[in-house]
Amino acid sequence: MVSERARSVDSFLAMDVLERAGERDDVVHLEVGEPDFDPPEAVFDAAVDSLRGGNTGYTVARGKPELREAIAARYERDYGVAVDPDRIVVTPGSSPGLLLALAALVDPGDEVVLTDPHYASYPKFVRFLNGVVRTVPLRASEGFRPRAGDYERAVGSETSALVVNSPANPTGAVLDGGTLGEIAAVADAADATVVSDEIYHGLSYGAAEHTMLEFTDDAFVLDGFSKRYGMTGWRLGWVVAPPGYAEALNRLAQHVLISAPNFVQDAGVAALETDESWLAEVRDTYRRRRDRLLDAVQAWGLDPGYTPEGAYYVLADVSDLPGSSVEVADLFLNEAGVAVTPGADFGERASDYVRLSYATDVVAIDEAATRVDRLLDRLG
């Protein structure tokens, strides 16, 4: 019999939509955050050279020293923050890192504070660990940016962790340094630990990015190579652990993960050592796509009421269309061949929205705009 724990985990709706959309060959994909650009050539070269060099066995669970040193050097270079490489644990993607971080913090009954909207997996992981979810309500009128006071009102005596995501999925919100510092102070006062998901760092459009490590050492910081470097299928990420947690995190990684792929870690070193001037063009491309998609969403009468500042997502308000966000997403896919993610996966505050990704080219966005225009015209 399937365990109660397994039964309690709902489907990841974005992946469900992707699976259904994959059964057709006429779909415009706006449902998943899949970058459509390749990593720098040096990344491919490093992976191939490593494979040919025979680097196909296990590494230590915490990751190759040269990769952890390269990650630490990035924090020094980009943020002026010194990070001991021994605090870094390399993971096969950032999602396993999130699960490990929460497992190191959450005992049964402990509370974890999330924003609402939030990334779909956050509450699933908390509940999988028998934790309790508390939420901070976000508002489109404020760009879906949380305020430190909202976190302060949400914490209690049983709070063990506050989760922060900037740039955020699904909203694209970017938090300024002042807010991050205030949230760190709220966590400290509550004797709780910040878990900061920074996987979309490098993909902001005018807003300055800050790592939580600028404001506190008492934070688990998650990042990786999927979004910034277009390496989703390579499955490589990392966690920076607070002092005193790194060994516990490593022990969990030894059992749960064994290690991230050996040769992919060498590719990660190459990615971190590239001249990232090429990212400026990537950001400009995403900005143009964002603006085109916002124009289309507004033309549909589904104005989101804000402008995303980072990542590559827009929440479109579908509350005036018939049915739930799941039913609207089904309608878009079945009747227009446009795949979007129901907002129901991202929290109560997103339940009247669908998430659209602009990690695709303008031609596809224009085609989606035309198809949805026709569908909404038919609906009257």
Side-chain angles (χ1 to χ4, degrees), residues 101-128:
L102 290 173
L105 287 170
V106 178
D107 284 319
D110 282 354
E111 296 175 349
V112 178
V113 179
L114 313 175
T115 60
D116 181 6
H118 48 245
Y119 178 54
S121 295
Y122 294 163
K124 274 83 166 179
F125 284 0
V126 173
R127 293 178 180 126
F128 183 79

mmCIF file of all heavy atoms in Angstrom, residues 101-128:
data_model
loop_
_atom_site.group_PDB
_atom_site.id
_atom_site.type_symbol
_atom_site.label_atom_id
_atom_site.label_comp_id
_atom_site.label_asym_id
_atom_site.label_seq_id
_atom_site.Cartn_x
_atom_site.Cartn_y
_atom_site.Cartn_z
ATOM 1 N N ALA A 101 18.359 20.914 2.837
ATOM 2 C CA ALA A 101 18.387 22.044 3.770
ATOM 3 C C ALA A 101 17.213 21.988 4.728
ATOM 4 O O ALA A 101 17.368 22.173 5.950
ATOM 5 C CB ALA A 101 18.388 23.358 2.988
ATOM 6 N N LEU A 102 16.026 21.732 4.204
ATOM 7 C CA LEU A 102 14.854 21.648 5.075
ATOM 8 C C LEU A 102 14.948 20.439 6.011
ATOM 9 O O LEU A 102 14.549 20.515 7.181
ATOM 10 C CB LEU A 102 13.576 21.579 4.237
ATOM 11 C CG LEU A 102 13.208 22.872 3.491
ATOM 12 C CD1 LEU A 102 12.033 22.634 2.553
ATOM 13 C CD2 LEU A 102 12.895 24.005 4.462
ATOM 14 N N ALA A 103 15.498 19.329 5.522
ATOM 15 C CA ALA A 103 15.647 18.148 6.370
ATOM 16 C C ALA A 103 16.599 18.417 7.526
ATOM 17 O O ALA A 103 16.449 17.838 8.611
ATOM 18 C CB ALA A 103 16.151 16.966 5.542
ATOM 19 N N ALA A 104 17.574 19.298 7.305
ATOM 20 C CA ALA A 104 18.515 19.652 8.368
ATOM 21 C C ALA A 104 17.907 20.596 9.393
ATOM 22 O O ALA A 104 18.473 20.775 10.478
ATOM 23 C CB ALA A 104 19.766 20.286 7.757
ATOM 24 N N LEU A 105 16.756 21.199 9.070
ATOM 25 C CA LEU A 105 16.162 22.220 9.928
ATOM 26 C C LEU A 105 14.851 21.810 10.573
ATOM 27 O O LEU A 105 14.522 22.276 11.673
ATOM 28 C CB LEU A 105 15.895 23.494 9.108
ATOM 29 C CG LEU A 105 17.084 24.346 8.703
ATOM 30 C CD1 LEU A 105 16.636 25.407 7.710
ATOM 31 C CD2 LEU A 105 17.709 25.000 9.929
ATOM 32 N N VAL A 106 14.062 20.977 9.888
ATOM 33 C CA VAL A 106 12.656 20.795 10.258
ATOM 34 C C VAL A 106 12.439 19.470 10.972
ATOM 35 O O VAL A 106 12.697 18.396 10.416
ATOM 36 C CB VAL A 106 11.758 20.864 8.999
ATOM 37 C CG1 VAL A 106 10.293 20.626 9.377
ATOM 38 C CG2 VAL A 106 11.914 22.218 8.309
ATOM 39 N N ASP A 107 11.969 19.549 12.198
ATOM 40 C CA ASP A 107 11.466 18.396 12.935
ATOM 41 C C ASP A 107 9.942 18.369 12.812
ATOM 42 O O ASP A 107 9.314 19.397 12.500
ATOM 43 C CB ASP A 107 11.864 18.481 14.410
ATOM 44 C CG ASP A 107 13.330 18.135 14.646
ATOM 45 O OD1 ASP A 107 13.812 17.179 14.002
ATOM 46 O OD2 ASP A 107 13.983 18.820 15.459
ATOM 47 N N PRO A 108 9.314 17.206 13.044
ATOM 48 C CA PRO A 108 7.848 17.148 12.972
ATOM 49 C C PRO A 108 7.196 18.222 13.841
ATOM 50 O O PRO A 108 7.554 18.404 15.003
ATOM 51 C CB PRO A 108 7.537 15.735 13.483
ATOM 52 C CG PRO A 108 8.741 14.934 13.110
ATOM 53 C CD PRO A 108 9.903 15.877 13.300
ATOM 54 N N GLY A 109 6.265 18.955 13.229
ATOM 55 C CA GLY A 109 5.559 20.020 13.927
ATOM 56 C C GLY A 109 6.205 21.385 13.807
ATOM 57 O O GLY A 109 5.564 22.396 14.131
ATOM 58 N N ASP A 110 7.449 21.447 13.343
ATOM 59 C CA ASP A 110 8.095 22.744 13.152
ATOM 60 C C ASP A 110 7.418 23.512 12.021
ATOM 61 O O ASP A 110 6.958 22.929 11.031
ATOM 62 C CB ASP A 110 9.575 22.565 12.792
ATOM 63 C CG ASP A 110 10.433 22.241 14.002
ATOM 64 O OD1 ASP A 110 9.904 22.258 15.128
ATOM 65 O OD2 ASP A 110 11.631 21.955 13.805
ATOM 66 N N GLU A 111 7.388 24.828 12.166
ATOM 67 C CA GLU A 111 6.748 25.682 11.165
ATOM 68 C C GLU A 111 7.793 26.267 10.213
ATOM 69 O O GLU A 111 8.894 26.633 10.633
ATOM 70 C CB GLU A 111 6.001 26.824 11.845
ATOM 71 C CG GLU A 111 4.845 26.346 12.710
ATOM 72 C CD GLU A 111 4.186 27.479 13.476
ATOM 73 O OE1 GLU A 111 4.744 28.586 13.510
ATOM 74 O OE2 GLU A 111 3.104 27.246 14.044
ATOM 75 N N VAL A 112 7.414 26.338 8.952
ATOM 76 C CA VAL A 112 8.243 26.964 7.921
ATOM 77 C C VAL A 112 7.402 28.042 7.257
ATOM 78 O O VAL A 112 6.280 27.781 6.800
ATOM 79 C CB VAL A 112 8.723 25.943 6.879
ATOM 80 C CG1 VAL A 112 9.537 26.632 5.795
ATOM 81 C CG2 VAL A 112 9.550 24.847 7.556
ATOM 82 N N VAL A 113 7.934 29.254 7.213
ATOM 83 C CA VAL A 113 7.200 30.386 6.648
ATOM 84 C C VAL A 113 7.570 30.550 5.178
ATOM 85 O O VAL A 113 8.746 30.689 4.828
ATOM 86 C CB VAL A 113 7.512 31.683 7.422
ATOM 87 C CG1 VAL A 113 6.768 32.865 6.799
ATOM 88 C CG2 VAL A 113 7.133 31.531 8.892
ATOM 89 N N LEU A 114 6.558 30.528 4.323
ATOM 90 C CA LEU A 114 6.710 30.710 2.881
ATOM 91 C C LEU A 114 5.920 31.935 2.452
ATOM 92 O O LEU A 114 4.954 32.324 3.105
ATOM 93 C CB LEU A 114 6.149 29.511 2.110
ATOM 94 C CG LEU A 114 6.507 28.099 2.559
ATOM 95 C CD1 LEU A 114 5.739 27.090 1.712
ATOM 96 C CD2 LEU A 114 8.003 27.880 2.427
ATOM 97 N N THR A 115 6.308 32.516 1.326
ATOM 98 C CA THR A 115 5.441 33.515 0.717
ATOM 99 C C THR A 115 4.300 32.804 -0.002
ATOM 100 O O THR A 115 4.363 31.615 -0.306
ATOM 101 C CB THR A 115 6.222 34.368 -0.302
ATOM 102 O OG1 THR A 115 6.747 33.526 -1.337
ATOM 103 C CG2 THR A 115 7.335 35.151 0.359
ATOM 104 N N ASP A 116 3.245 33.538 -0.294
ATOM 105 C CA ASP A 116 2.134 33.050 -1.102
ATOM 106 C C ASP A 116 1.777 34.163 -2.082
ATOM 107 O O ASP A 116 1.267 35.199 -1.652
ATOM 108 C CB ASP A 116 0.937 32.717 -0.206
ATOM 109 C CG ASP A 116 -0.256 32.165 -0.984
ATOM 110 O OD1 ASP A 116 -0.127 31.933 -2.198
ATOM 111 O OD2 ASP A 116 -1.329 31.981 -0.368
ATOM 112 N N PRO A 117 2.119 33.980 -3.376
ATOM 113 C CA PRO A 117 2.567 32.779 -4.086
ATOM 114 C C PRO A 117 3.985 32.342 -3.717
ATOM 115 O O PRO A 117 4.791 33.125 -3.220
ATOM 116 C CB PRO A 117 2.498 33.188 -5.565
ATOM 117 C CG PRO A 117 1.611 34.384 -5.625
ATOM 118 C CD PRO A 117 1.820 35.089 -4.313
ATOM 119 N N HIS A 118 4.259 31.034 -4.055
ATOM 120 C CA HIS A 118 5.554 30.439 -3.800
ATOM 121 C C HIS A 118 5.826 29.389 -4.867
ATOM 122 O O HIS A 118 4.922 28.952 -5.590
ATOM 123 C CB HIS A 118 5.583 29.778 -2.423
ATOM 124 C CG HIS A 118 4.385 28.886 -2.182
ATOM 125 N ND1 HIS A 118 3.453 29.172 -1.218
ATOM 126 C CD2 HIS A 118 3.965 27.753 -2.792
ATOM 127 C CE1 HIS A 118 2.496 28.250 -1.250
ATOM 128 N NE2 HIS A 118 2.798 27.368 -2.198
ATOM 129 N N TYR A 119 7.080 28.952 -4.943
ATOM 130 C CA TYR A 119 7.431 27.849 -5.834
ATOM 131 C C TYR A 119 6.697 26.592 -5.390
ATOM 132 O O TYR A 119 6.561 26.308 -4.190
ATOM 133 C CB TYR A 119 8.941 27.638 -5.817
ATOM 134 C CG TYR A 119 9.435 26.483 -6.657
ATOM 135 C CD1 TYR A 119 9.114 26.378 -8.007
ATOM 136 C CD2 TYR A 119 10.223 25.490 -6.088
ATOM 137 C CE1 TYR A 119 9.563 25.317 -8.765
ATOM 138 C CE2 TYR A 119 10.694 24.426 -6.845
ATOM 139 C CZ TYR A 119 10.356 24.351 -8.184
ATOM 140 O OH TYR A 119 10.811 23.287 -8.931
ATOM 141 N N ALA A 120 6.226 25.813 -6.367
ATOM 142 C CA ALA A 120 5.308 24.718 -6.080
ATOM 143 C C ALA A 120 5.861 23.684 -5.106
ATOM 144 O O ALA A 120 5.115 23.118 -4.292
ATOM 145 C CB ALA A 120 4.914 24.034 -7.397
ATOM 146 N N SER A 121 7.156 23.404 -5.152
ATOM 147 C CA SER A 121 7.709 22.315 -4.338
ATOM 148 C C SER A 121 7.913 22.699 -2.878
ATOM 149 O O SER A 121 8.056 21.801 -2.027
ATOM 150 C CB SER A 121 9.051 21.854 -4.928
ATOM 151 O OG SER A 121 8.877 21.290 -6.207
ATOM 152 N N TYR A 122 7.954 23.985 -2.551
ATOM 153 C CA TYR A 122 8.251 24.373 -1.169
ATOM 154 C C TYR A 122 7.302 23.710 -0.162
ATOM 155 O O TYR A 122 7.752 23.043 0.780
ATOM 156 C CB TYR A 122 8.193 25.884 -0.995
ATOM 157 C CG TYR A 122 9.236 26.699 -1.723
ATOM 158 C CD1 TYR A 122 9.060 28.070 -1.905
ATOM 159 C CD2 TYR A 122 10.402 26.127 -2.220
ATOM 160 C CE1 TYR A 122 10.010 28.840 -2.563
ATOM 161 C CE2 TYR A 122 11.353 26.880 -2.874
ATOM 162 C CZ TYR A 122 11.148 28.248 -3.054
ATOM 163 O OH TYR A 122 12.089 29.006 -3.700
ATOM 164 N N PRO A 123 5.988 23.895 -0.270
ATOM 165 C CA PRO A 123 5.114 23.305 0.756
ATOM 166 C C PRO A 123 5.112 21.787 0.716
ATOM 167 O O PRO A 123 4.937 21.142 1.760
ATOM 168 C CB PRO A 123 3.739 23.881 0.422
ATOM 169 C CG PRO A 123 3.805 24.240 -1.022
ATOM 170 C CD PRO A 123 5.207 24.679 -1.261
ATOM 171 N N LYS A 124 5.320 21.203 -0.482
ATOM 172 C CA LYS A 124 5.360 19.742 -0.565
ATOM 173 C C LYS A 124 6.516 19.200 0.259
ATOM 174 O O LYS A 124 6.384 18.206 0.992
ATOM 175 C CB LYS A 124 5.512 19.286 -2.013
ATOM 176 C CG LYS A 124 4.204 19.146 -2.787
ATOM 177 C CD LYS A 124 3.707 20.435 -3.348
ATOM 178 C CE LYS A 124 2.605 20.219 -4.379
ATOM 179 N NZ LYS A 124 2.090 21.479 -4.936
ATOM 180 N N PHE A 125 7.677 19.837 0.149
ATOM 181 C CA PHE A 125 8.844 19.379 0.899
ATOM 182 C C PHE A 125 8.624 19.539 2.403
ATOM 183 O O PHE A 125 8.985 18.658 3.191
ATOM 184 C CB PHE A 125 10.090 20.154 0.465
ATOM 185 C CG PHE A 125 10.669 19.723 -0.861
ATOM 186 C CD1 PHE A 125 10.101 18.704 -1.603
ATOM 187 C CD2 PHE A 125 11.796 20.342 -1.368
ATOM 188 C CE1 PHE A 125 10.637 18.309 -2.824
ATOM 189 C CE2 PHE A 125 12.346 19.954 -2.578
ATOM 190 C CZ PHE A 125 11.766 18.933 -3.305
ATOM 191 N N VAL A 126 8.049 20.680 2.794
ATOM 192 C CA VAL A 126 7.819 20.910 4.228
ATOM 193 C C VAL A 126 6.889 19.837 4.789
ATOM 194 O O VAL A 126 7.160 19.238 5.845
ATOM 195 C CB VAL A 126 7.227 22.319 4.460
ATOM 196 C CG1 VAL A 126 6.822 22.492 5.924
ATOM 197 C CG2 VAL A 126 8.230 23.395 4.056
ATOM 198 N N ARG A 127 5.804 19.576 4.098
ATOM 199 C CA ARG A 127 4.839 18.591 4.594
ATOM 200 C C ARG A 127 5.406 17.175 4.521
ATOM 201 O O ARG A 127 5.073 16.323 5.354
ATOM 202 C CB ARG A 127 3.535 18.721 3.816
ATOM 203 C CG ARG A 127 2.831 20.049 4.107
ATOM 204 C CD ARG A 127 1.557 20.234 3.324
ATOM 205 N NE ARG A 127 0.950 21.529 3.655
ATOM 206 C CZ ARG A 127 0.621 22.449 2.754
ATOM 207 N NH1 ARG A 127 0.831 22.227 1.452
ATOM 208 N NH2 ARG A 127 0.085 23.594 3.128
ATOM 209 N N PHE A 128 6.238 16.904 3.524
ATOM 210 C CA PHE A 128 6.899 15.605 3.431
ATOM 211 C C PHE A 128 7.734 15.326 4.675
ATOM 212 O O PHE A 128 7.873 14.184 5.113
ATOM 213 C CB PHE A 128 7.789 15.584 2.176
ATOM 214 C CG PHE A 128 8.467 14.280 1.909
ATOM 215 C CD1 PHE A 128 7.772 13.224 1.329
ATOM 216 C CD2 PHE A 128 9.807 14.091 2.224
ATOM 217 C CE1 PHE A 128 8.399 12.008 1.076
ATOM 218 C CE2 PHE A 128 10.438 12.885 1.977
ATOM 219 C CZ PHE A 128 9.736 11.839 1.400
#
